[in-house]
Amino acid sequence: MMKEIKIIKNRSDIGAGTRGSDMGVDAIEIAAINKKSNYFDSHDFEDVITENESIYNKVNNSFAKRIDSVFNQCKRLSNHVKVNLQEGKFPIVLSGDHSSALGTISGVKAAYPTQRVGVVWIDAHGDLHSPYTSPSGNIHGMPLSAAISDDNLDCQINDVDRETSELWERMKNIGVPGQKVLPEDIVFFGVRDTEEPEDKQMEKYGIKNYMVAEVRYRGLDVCVNEALDKLSNCDVIYVSFDVDSMDCDMISYGTGTPVPKGFDQYEIINIINGLLASKKVACVEFVEVNPLLDFKGNKMAETAFEVLEEVTKKVKTL
């Protein structure tokens, strides 16, 4: 029986350092309209209430900027994801910045509290920082740290105040208390821009990173099947697709933190569809399209929509 798809639109960019990814969802919809696609008329959707006005708040927690609002946002998104999964639907989450992933992962875990959740992270960045290690304080670099509930205090550089610390603890307990994902149940694709604290976490936990060159050399199917084998003890898998995993020179700079030498959109489609073929994937999320930074018109959103269409076709066959 075909899975009913629910599009969850989360237009929030308060976890990022650059404004504009909150417009990413609309940019993807415009790409669909310009392609004369009825995609967004064909699927039920729901909007997540946002707190983007918090960007104007003068007082923020410098090592975890706007953490109170990011916490609220992740909590809301977690609930949307949980309810849809419990209703037997397949959520495709379209978000602004990548801090949202904590909400989505927490929602998956809340829907399947006794099951083991795996994460495939398709991204240029590791996003394994915590408020204690982050050089920027932007929470879109921290979702996996919260999901595995490890602050990496061995690499601490920031003296975090009590309010920030308490809010961070609450973030780690969204959905269900405690750790959502075992670190060994994370697989990276395309990560190529990390800081030392993240490298140490990857090394400590043996997190496998399929870099672009390896995927092309060894073969995409080989790497995807190996990743699925690594996650064989997981009951469900969440796939997070950050558009900066794609090559900014080849595709577009329309994302908050572009990095060259990434994948092309066809490789992304084949990676995600290869994972979907396992029938373990419960949710896919698209993040970090920023049309304000796109000097090729709406190219990044058009490319993201191309991926979205192909991934959705695959979901419908499951």
Side-chain angles (χ1 to χ4, degrees):
M1 185 177 148
M2 192 179 84
K3 280 264 188 188
E4 184 186 342
I5 290 166
K6 175 64 72 73
I7 307 294
I8 300 176
K9 302 176 184 177
N10 175 42
R11 296 179 175 85
S12 175
D13 74 345
I14 54 176
T18 310
R19 308 281 63 80
S21 62
D22 59 320
M23 301 178 190
V25 177
D26 298 291
I28 293 170
E29 291 187 347
I30 288 164
I33 291 165
N34 289 342
K35 203 175 175 182
K36 297 187 168 45
S37 165
N38 67 345
Y39 181 93
F40 286 98
D41 291 327
S42 306
H43 301 101
D44 281 345
F45 73 91
E46 51 197 40
D47 286 299
V48 183
I49 296 167
T50 63
E51 295 191 19
N52 290 337
E53 69 282 357
S54 68
I55 204 67
Y56 299 112
N57 295 351
K58 291 290 183 285
V59 179
N60 64 40
N61 309 61
S62 58
F63 301 125
K65 294 170 182 171
R66 295 171 289 280
I67 187 170
D68 49 347
S69 293
V70 175
F71 166 69
N72 291 338
Q73 197 64 30
C74 286
K75 201 164 58 166
R76 283 191 203 102
L77 180 55
S78 171
N79 199 50
H80 279 268
V81 170
K82 177 186 78 169
V83 169
N84 278 288
L85 287 171
Q86 287 175 336
E87 291 175 351
K89 293 170 183 162
F90 189 103
I92 297 179
V93 183
L94 305 180
S95 284
D97 77 79
H98 215 166
S99 63
S100 62
L102 174 62
T104 308
I105 293 169
S106 300
V108 173
K109 185 64 178 174
Y112 306 110
T114 62
Q115 298 193 27
R116 192 161 158 181
V117 178
V119 171
V120 177
W121 199 258
I122 308 169
D123 197 331
H125 305 91
D127 295 342
L128 278 163
H129 277 295
S130 76
Y132 303 94
T133 68
S134 173
S136 70
N138 297 322
I139 300 177
H140 70 166
M142 307 182 194
L144 283 180
S145 175
I148 65 172
S149 199
D150 185 341
D151 299 337
N152 194 12
L153 295 178
D154 289 345
C155 296
Q156 181 170 356
I157 57 167
N158 301 324
D159 186 15
V160 177
D161 65 37
R162 183 174 160 184
E163 183 192 20
T164 306
S165 174
E166 287 176 355
L167 281 163
W168 178 246
E169 289 305 312
R170 290 172 72 189
M171 284 191 75
K172 290 191 285 187
N173 289 291
I174 292 170
V176 294
Q179 191 181 49
K180 311 299 180 287
V181 179
L182 298 171
E184 56 265 35
D185 291 339
I186 297 171
V187 176
F188 287 154
F189 275 86
V191 171
R192 57 197 184 278
D193 184 14
T194 55
E195 279 98 21
E196 188 182 351
E198 296 175 299
D199 294 337
K200 289 195 169 170
Q201 291 291 72
M202 289 164 70
E203 189 181 343
K204 174 180 168 185
Y205 290 117
I207 296 172
K208 175 61 182 170
N209 177 22
Y210 289 98
M211 296 184 78
V212 178
E214 180 181 354
V215 172
R216 290 176 182 164
Y217 177 72
R218 296 183 60 215
L220 190 145
D221 291 343
V222 170
C223 294
V224 169
N225 289 331
E226 203 172 271
L228 286 168
D229 191 49
K230 184 168 170 50
L231 300 178
S232 59
N233 291 325
C234 296
D235 304 292
V236 293
I237 295 171
Y238 155 75
V239 178
S240 197
F241 166 46
D242 187 324
V243 296
D244 70 22
S245 61
M246 297 190 292
D247 190 304
C248 57
D249 293 322
M250 183 169 40
I251 309 288
S252 165
Y253 276 71
T255 186
T257 45
V259 184
K261 296 184 169 60
F263 293 114
D264 64 33
Q265 68 268 46
Y266 309 110
E267 290 168 315
I268 297 293
I269 289 164
N270 288 330
I271 290 167
I272 298 175
N273 283 354
L275 296 165
L276 285 166
S278 72
K279 294 186 162 44
K280 281 190 174 183
V281 177
C283 176
V284 178
E285 184 165 17
F286 288 60
V287 301
E288 296 282 359
V289 172
N290 189 333
L292 294 185
L293 303 175
D294 199 332
F295 55 74
K296 293 184 181 175
N298 198 31
K299 178 69 174 169
M300 185 63 92
E302 288 164 2
T303 308
F305 180 62
E306 191 179 339
V307 176
L308 179 61
E309 273 192 306
E310 294 304 314
V311 165
T312 302
K313 284 178 195 169
K314 183 67 177 178
V315 172
K316 287 178 175 177
T317 68
L318 300 177

